Amino acid sequence: MNKQGIQHIELGISLFLLFIGLIFSVTASIMFYSEKKLALICTEPVNALVTEIEESSNRSDMTKTTRHTGSKYSTIYIPVFEYTVNGEEYTEKSEINASPCPFNEGDTVEIYYNSENPKQIYVKTDDFKSNFIYFLFIGAGVLIIIYAIVKLVKSIKGNK
């Protein structure tokens, strides 16, 4: 392969990495912002009963990612809360999807609701852990973006 062909491949790889870095950073930033926004508007505390833990399973084909055949299942758990605001009962699913679930059926948990829309709830989680994960993904995305930009600049300078 000639030098120009190699430069085109390097350019393609750099653009692909730039795209991946943007996906990491933007997705984690949106999720972080959404959670913080929900925490800001859901400020009224109420005790809620965990009435159900819904399970949601994802199946991925392992033959594409490993040497093993078959499927790999991952399960996330979605707690359902029942609570009363101004004499009216509400049953809402949490925005938190966790594995393992931090709650059990029958637990009483303090949640927060939006006083203007009591169906909108926020469940406090381990802020350090969730913030760490968000910033880990944002940071990884930024590092990938920086690396991709450096490679792009080198690739473009190499073409001149």
Side-chain angles (χ1 to χ4, degrees):
M1 187 176 287
N2 63 15
K3 185 178 178 184
Q4 191 174 17
I6 292 172
Q7 289 172 337
H8 279 89
I9 291 171
E10 288 176 349
L11 181 65
I13 290 171
S14 297
L15 289 172
F16 176 75
L17 288 174
L18 182 63
F19 179 71
I20 296 297
L22 285 170
I23 288 174
F24 267 57
S25 295
V26 170
T27 302
S29 296
I30 290 170
M31 290 174 67
F32 176 75
Y33 173 76
S34 296
E35 185 176 319
K36 296 308 169 195
K37 182 179 174 189
L38 194 60
L40 287 174
I41 61 175
C42 297
T43 57
E44 297 295 321
V46 65
N47 286 327
L49 178 67
V50 179
T51 58
E52 184 181 356
I53 307 290
E54 291 185 2
E55 292 184 17
S56 177
S57 295
N58 278 347
R59 184 180 75 94
S60 60
D61 186 3
M62 291 176 59
T63 57
K64 294 179 184 174
T65 56
T66 66
R67 294 181 186 164
H68 304 289
T69 58
S71 298
K72 178 182 177 187
Y73 289 89
S74 62
T75 304
I76 57 171
Y77 301 94
I78 305 160
V80 179
F81 297 102
E82 188 176 281
Y83 56 100
T84 304
V85 175
N86 298 325
E88 189 171 340
E89 284 194 17
Y90 295 90
T91 302
E92 298 297 326
K93 293 180 186 178
S94 173
E95 293 289 321
I96 297 171
N97 302 327
S99 183
C101 185
F103 310 111
N104 295 309
E105 283 186 32
D107 285 353
T108 300
V109 179
E110 184 176 63
I111 64 172
Y112 298 85
Y113 67 92
N114 180 347
S115 60
E116 294 178 18
N117 179 9
K119 288 179 162 245
Q120 193 171 35
I121 62 171
Y122 172 72
V123 182
K124 281 193 176 181
T125 58
D126 182 0
D127 283 341
F128 176 78
K129 185 179 176 183
S130 63
N131 288 345
F132 177 77
I133 291 169
Y134 290 135
F135 288 120
L136 182 69
F137 275 89
I138 293 169
V142 168
L143 289 176
I144 292 169
I145 290 168
I146 291 169
Y147 178 78
I149 290 172
V150 168
K151 293 296 280 179
L152 276 170
V153 169
K154 285 183 179 180
S155 178
I156 292 169
K157 283 185 177 180
N159 285 336
K160 292 182 179 183

